[in-house]
Amino acid sequence: MFKTRMPITRIACALVLFSLVSCTTIGINRGQFNLISTAEEVEMGNRFAEEIAKQHRFLEVQSIQQYVRETGGRLAAVSDRTDIEYHFTVIDDREQVNAFALPGGWLYVYTGLLERADNEGELAAVLAHEIGHIAARHHTEQMTKLLGYSLLVQLVLGEDPNQYAVLAAQLFGTLGQLKFSRDDELEADRLGLVYLRRAGYRPDSMVSFLEKLQSMARSEPSRLTSFLSTHPMAPVRVEQARGLLDSSTGPDMSVQEAERYRTTVVEPLEKYYGSPPKSDAG
Ligand code: ZN
């Protein structure tokens, strides 16, 4: 049996190359590049999740973990992909304004991002966007393009835990090199808006959070390094989201949401860290 294992250095080279290559148009034809089955994707995601748990510190404030799980669960339940189990975890790092997802339903959000959201709707917008990537199966699609089908299958079937460790560090989390194409980002936003509506959130919370990130990208880009590398902040994302808002955005719940969000997330985090988050003005 012909057996080969691509050395890690070659995978790393492929990653660097990939990040320089502009992405092709995929449209909304889901699963076009997906030769990986859902079971394989979930298996791969589970293994990556083990590595993420080793490489990051998770927030020990269980009430906030629970709150994010509930918020994300509400969105996942109304998403277009309910054949997998979703897992939502808060990473304890207030310097990073970031969120990311693994293949197979694992989503992570940093405390730095939780502190920058003004209400539950804005957090929901971020989670809905990541669920959009998962629903459209962008992860396995990009990984297939990046690594090639045979290496990806090797990874799924392989017994070498080092491959997962290295790839988890390179593809996900702080380095965040699993870049999605502009079209993938726009599709995740479109799906995210649908899920926000279905779950009863104001869809304009996505616009407000995207605008916030755009202004942060100018004022304090260092905090957004990994987010910007995985989520290109093209103004076209704001434009698209604005264009998709209709006049019936629902009742203005933002005041109640903001109050609830402050007492459930922001104040407990301030207590946990012993100081308020740094302001944009610094
Ligand atoms: Zn994205």
Side-chain angles (χ1 to χ4, degrees):
M1 181 181 157
F2 179 67
K3 212 174 165 188
T4 178
R5 179 158 283 156
M6 189 177 278
I8 295 301
T9 46
R10 232 179 117 196
I11 297 174
C13 288
L15 287 170
V16 171
L17 273 179
F18 177 76
S19 64
L20 299 172
V21 171
S22 66
C23 296
T24 52
T25 302
I26 294 155
I28 51 168
N29 187 0
R30 270 169 235 167
Q32 193 178 341
F33 282 89
N34 271 295
L35 301 162
I36 300 292
S37 71
T38 291
E40 287 169 334
E41 182 186 342
V42 168
E43 167 68 15
M44 199 174 1
N46 292 348
R47 294 224 208 162
F48 277 127
E50 286 174 27
E51 293 305 325
I52 294 296
K54 287 181 204 158
Q55 293 168 10
H56 296 78
R57 189 172 69 233
F58 295 160
L59 182 69
E60 286 172 6
V61 183
Q62 292 313 315
S63 59
I64 297 178
Q65 292 282 6
Q66 175 70 20
Y67 172 77
V68 171
R69 267 200 301 277
E70 284 171 7
T71 307
R74 228 175 354 261
L75 293 156
V78 297
S79 78
D80 295 312
R81 193 164 184 208
T82 51
D83 60 338
I84 54 172
E85 200 181 325
Y86 286 83
H87 313 266
F88 300 88
T89 305
V90 179
I91 293 175
D92 184 352
D93 183 352
R94 75 192 311 201
E95 296 305 315
Q96 290 293 326
V97 181
N98 197 15
F100 66 95
L102 304 178
W106 297 83
L107 289 89
Y108 302 85
V109 55
Y110 288 76
T111 48
L113 189 145
L114 290 183
E115 289 188 317
R116 292 316 171 101
D118 279 328
N119 53 56
E120 183 170 312
E122 291 190 347
L123 168 65
V126 171
L127 296 175
H129 172 92
E130 295 298 330
I131 292 170
H133 279 307
I134 291 176
R137 305 196 69 199
H138 289 158
H139 297 85
T140 46
E141 187 178 87
Q142 291 294 0
M143 288 177 78
T144 306
K145 280 199 224 162
L146 169 58
L147 301 173
Y149 176 65
S150 60
L151 180 58
L152 199 55
V153 168
Q154 253 186 53
L155 192 65
V156 172
L157 303 175
E159 297 301 323
D160 185 356
N162 288 330
Q163 282 197 334
Y164 277 91
V166 172
L167 276 176
Q170 288 182 330
L171 290 175
F172 309 109
T174 47
L175 284 178
Q177 289 192 1
L178 185 64
K179 284 190 183 182
F180 295 120
S181 69
R182 197 184 88 140
D183 288 332
D184 282 356
E185 291 306 327
L186 292 173
E187 183 177 37
D189 282 345
R190 287 196 298 275
L191 293 171
L193 280 170
V194 173
Y195 305 158
L196 282 175
R197 277 203 181 89
R198 286 183 190 162
Y201 290 103
R202 287 169 58 92
D204 54 358
S205 57
M206 179 170 285
V207 175
S208 69
F209 200 69
L210 282 173
E211 286 174 340
K212 190 176 290 178
L213 290 173
Q214 272 199 318
S215 76
M216 273 188 72
R218 286 190 292 270
S219 62
E220 37 183 351
S222 62
R223 283 169 189 270
L224 277 170
T225 310
S226 60
F227 189 90
L228 292 178
S229 73
T230 48
H231 294 86
M233 277 296 107
V236 70
R237 286 186 62 191
V238 176
E239 272 170 43
Q240 174 187 255
R242 273 192 184 289
L244 289 171
L245 298 180
D246 53 31
S247 50
S248 58
T249 49
D252 186 355
M253 300 285 286
S254 53
V255 176
Q256 293 96 307
E257 278 182 12
E259 176 61 18
R260 180 168 120 90
Y261 190 78
R262 199 172 57 75
T263 54
T264 314
V265 177
V266 179
E267 285 175 0
L269 276 179
E270 265 188 51
K271 209 173 142 196
Y272 175 72
Y273 286 121
S275 65
K278 280 187 204 152
S279 74
D280 281 15

